[in-house]
Amino acid sequence: MDSKDKSISNPLHIGQLIKNKILEKRLTYSEVSRSINVTLPSLMAYFENPSLQSRIIHKLCLALDYNFFEDYTNILPENIQNSNDDSRRNKEIEELKNIIEDQKKEINIYKELISKKL
């Protein structure tokens, strides 16, 4: 079984992760439910769900000061974990290449000006 099959057959149980993080941080369920503006029974129901809507996870990330999305990223196959970083890097490289070309043009202009004065 390759890593792709493994992540599909063994998905992350976000509800349990949330519950464990609350316990680890020694917060009460009531505190957390108030901070994300849901009822206590709703929060408790989250613990039973292996998946939740991203907006709920986002609220819980902020309330618990923990990035649950990174946990999802970590179970992805390695070749796609940083795919967004690669595209950002490529864009930055292109921008830097353009800057270098512009600076080369400027240098040539300065060289011409200097040679004319000599």
Side-chain angles (χ1 to χ4, degrees):
M1 177 183 295
D2 67 18
S3 63
K4 190 174 186 179
D5 294 335
K6 186 177 179 184
S7 66
I8 292 170
S9 65
N10 187 15
L12 199 62
H13 193 296
I14 190 66
Q16 285 301 307
L17 279 174
I18 291 164
K19 182 178 182 179
N20 292 339
K21 189 53 64 177
I22 291 170
L23 294 173
E24 177 185 309
K25 291 187 172 265
R26 299 176 190 245
L27 298 169
T28 66
Y29 297 149
S30 295
E31 288 174 308
V32 175
S33 67
R34 277 193 303 274
S35 70
I36 63 170
N37 200 28
V38 298
T39 64
L40 185 56
S42 292
L43 178 65
M44 303 296 277
Y46 294 164
F47 301 156
E48 304 305 316
N49 284 310
S51 65
L52 292 170
Q53 293 177 355
S54 58
R55 68 178 175 78
I56 294 170
I57 297 170
H58 181 259
K59 285 181 181 182
L60 287 158
C61 288
L62 297 173
L64 299 174
D65 195 28
Y66 182 81
N67 186 355
F68 292 105
F69 294 108
E70 187 173 349
D71 292 329
Y72 280 107
T73 302
N74 290 337
I75 65 169
L76 292 172
E78 207 169 299
N79 64 318
I80 63 172
Q81 283 186 8
N82 297 316
S83 61
N84 292 347
D85 287 343
D86 290 344
S87 65
R88 256 187 255 122
R89 252 185 245 113
N90 290 338
K91 183 179 179 182
E92 184 178 355
I93 288 169
E94 285 305 310
E95 289 172 359
L96 291 171
K97 283 180 180 179
N98 290 334
I99 290 170
I100 289 171
E101 284 305 310
D102 289 343
Q103 289 179 341
K104 283 180 180 179
K105 289 174 187 174
E106 279 185 44
I107 288 171
N108 285 332
I109 291 170
Y110 291 134
K111 283 181 178 179
E112 278 184 46
L113 289 172
I114 289 173
S115 68
K116 288 180 181 179
K117 287 188 177 186
L118 295 176

